[in-house]
Amino acid sequence: MVALVLPRLVNPAGARRSASVAERNFTALRSAYWLVLLSGFLEPVLYLFSIGVGVGALVGDLTLTGGQVVSYAAFVAPAMLASSAMSGALSETTFNFFGKMKYMKLYDGVIATPVQPFEIALGELGWAMVRGSLYSAAFLVLMVGMDLTTAGRALAAFPAAVLVGFAFGALGMTVSTLMRSWQDFDLMGSAQFTLFLFSGTFVPAEAYPSVLRWVVELTPLYRSVHLIRGICVGGSGWSWLLDVAYLVALTVAMLALASRRMSRLLYK
């Protein structure tokens, strides 16, 4: 997979064509896009205040595996950041991507130009990351303002959140190429909500039974939450490297698979 993807990533002409795909999206949606961004940003903020702050007043402080004692809001906030990065990336690369590919037939016209399916996938992924990065930056400012992390840790957490968005964006595009109709997205929504609930988001993974815990720790959202929480509150040590390697591998594999699936669908 890496051998297939990396040469295309460093191709200047391909990068320009991918950028043109993202530019097209910006031009088409910029008039009302701020409303979409606002709605996507408010959801994790409401969860943070209702559960992190509200329920946190009942829960009290938590002791992490590394021995750090943190407030429940500080425990939940990094998970909301990871979930926000996931949701923003998936929104762009599932519903919007599927509609443009299957019903608008947008990409049928695009491939009549020199733009290739891989470059379409990369451009759409880049556009999705614009949305995800704005969510992440705004949420990190809120976390610093609420004293849930430090400014230095927030700066380090931002590229981690971007990586999370890339991983889920590539995963979302691959899933979209497998969808047959809008009804199939009900299954994806159920899977996404399950990840949101059972990825160490609101309780430590150690609280689950042993078998379920190992399943949870293999999921991409858990690795994302673990990475960002480790940066924001500290104490994860070298396990960050495992999280980063997992998310990079997922991004590369899903991007290659999505472009291959797109080639089959568009050139059939």
Side-chain angles (χ1 to χ4, degrees):
M1 290 292 186
V2 176
L4 292 173
V5 172
L6 287 183
R8 299 180 182 182
L9 292 177
V10 299
N11 181 0
R16 287 193 297 271
R17 291 192 289 266
S18 296
S20 69
V21 175
E23 183 181 0
R24 177 264 165 205
N25 289 338
F26 174 76
T27 303
L29 299 173
R30 62 184 174 183
S31 59
Y33 199 62
W34 67 273
L35 290 172
V36 178
L37 292 175
L38 181 61
S39 63
F41 170 69
L42 286 177
E43 182 179 356
V45 172
L46 293 176
Y47 272 112
L48 175 61
F49 278 98
S50 63
I51 297 179
V53 177
V55 177
L58 303 175
V59 174
D61 294 340
L62 291 179
T63 302
L64 304 182
T65 53
Q68 304 92 334
V69 178
V70 298
S71 68
Y72 188 67
F75 176 82
V76 169
M80 293 300 98
L81 174 58
S83 299
S84 176
M86 173 189 72
S87 299
L90 286 179
S91 294
E92 285 292 344
T93 57
T94 52
F95 299 103
N96 294 345
F97 179 81
F98 179 76
K100 286 184 282 188
M101 181 173 62
K102 187 172 180 66
Y103 292 100
M104 295 173 61
K105 302 295 183 182
L106 177 66
Y107 303 134
D108 292 64
V110 172
I111 61 172
T113 71
V115 180
Q116 300 298 309
F118 177 82
E119 294 160 355
I120 295 174
L122 190 60
E124 290 291 353
L125 185 56
W127 170 246
M129 286 320 304
V130 172
R131 179 173 176 175
S133 297
L134 290 174
Y135 287 168
S136 299
F139 196 83
L140 282 167
V141 170
L142 178 65
M143 287 176 62
V144 173
M146 294 177 63
D147 199 27
L148 300 178
T149 191
T150 65
R153 290 185 180 275
L155 288 174
F158 180 72
V162 172
L163 175 59
V164 171
F166 270 116
F168 278 100
L171 178 61
M173 278 193 292
T174 300
V175 170
S176 295
T177 62
L178 299 171
M179 295 296 182
R180 299 160 298 176
S181 66
W182 293 114
Q183 285 70 30
D184 290 341
F185 282 99
D186 292 339
L187 296 174
M188 192 206 76
S190 298
Q192 183 178 343
F193 190 64
T194 301
L195 283 178
F196 176 68
L197 292 178
F198 296 99
S199 294
T201 316
F202 301 110
V203 296
E206 293 77 14
Y208 298 125
S210 298
V211 175
L212 180 58
R213 174 187 171 184
W214 288 112
V215 173
V216 165
E217 292 184 353
L218 290 175
T219 63
L221 184 57
Y222 174 82
R223 303 312 330 173
S224 304
V225 170
H226 186 264
L227 172 63
I228 295 178
R229 183 175 285 146
I231 295 173
C232 289
V233 303
S236 291
W238 292 104
S239 61
W240 294 0
L241 296 178
L242 175 61
D243 300 327
V244 171
Y246 179 105
L247 294 172
V248 169
L250 181 64
T251 302
V252 172
M254 291 298 102
L255 187 57
L257 183 56
S259 63
R260 182 178 300 177
R261 289 280 308 160
M262 287 180 66
S263 296
R264 291 180 181 176
L265 294 171
L266 294 174
Y267 289 122
K268 65 180 180 180

